[in-house]
Each structure stands twice: as structure tokens, then as C-alpha cells.
Amino acid sequence: FNLYSHNIALIFLIASAVTATRCGIIPALVASVISFVTLDFFYTPPYYTLHSKALPDIINLILFLSTAVFISLFGSGTHAYIK
């Protein structure tokens, strides 16, 4: 069973969305940052460092973090609307 890093990133985005709709903005932003660091540390070469060398990897990580933050903002709006 092989999961590629972009599939793992989608799982982390879903986790951020669920956190935003269930808990609000602050926990969702924390989940987004933790997901970003986890993705960089474990799934981006060079592994087990927070330093990415390749420009496409850096761009992908920045896009991941911005998408996670936007999902958190929209999800927290849903959370506020429900309450």
C-alpha cells in the first residue's frame, strides 16, 4: 500500500476542514500549521528536516499552507453559523 505525498496532503487538508467545522478558527489554524510542518518534515525530501531544497517542493508547501488556512477560515464560518 503506497501513499504518495500529495495524497497525504489531501488527508491533512480534510483534517483541517473537520477541525474548523467542529472546533473553530484557532484550533483549525493550529491544525493547519501542524499539518504543514508534518508534511514538510516527513514527506518532503530531504526527509526528517524542515529544510526543502527543491523549488517545486517549496511552492507546493506554500500552496498547501495557504489552502489549509483558507479552508480553516471557511470552515470556521460554518462553525459560527451553526452555533
Side-chain angles (χ1 to χ4, degrees):
F1 187 68
N2 190 5
L3 287 176
Y4 296 105
S5 63
H6 57 275
N7 293 336
I8 298 293
L10 291 175
I11 293 170
F12 286 137
L13 285 176
I14 292 170
S16 295
V18 169
T19 304
T21 56
R22 303 279 292 163
C23 302
I25 186 68
I26 300 299
L29 291 176
V30 170
S32 297
V33 170
I34 290 172
S35 297
F36 169 78
V37 171
T38 303
L39 190 65
D40 186 23
F41 191 77
F42 291 112
Y43 299 105
T44 304
Y47 300 110
Y48 309 115
T49 64
L50 294 176
H51 184 265
S52 297
K53 291 184 178 180
L55 183 61
D57 290 336
I58 294 170
I59 292 171
N60 285 336
L61 286 169
I62 291 170
L63 287 174
F64 171 81
L65 184 60
S66 62
T67 304
V69 168
F70 284 128
I71 287 174
S72 298
L73 291 172
F74 292 133
S76 67
T78 303
H79 174 73
Y81 180 76
I82 291 171
K83 288 203 171 222

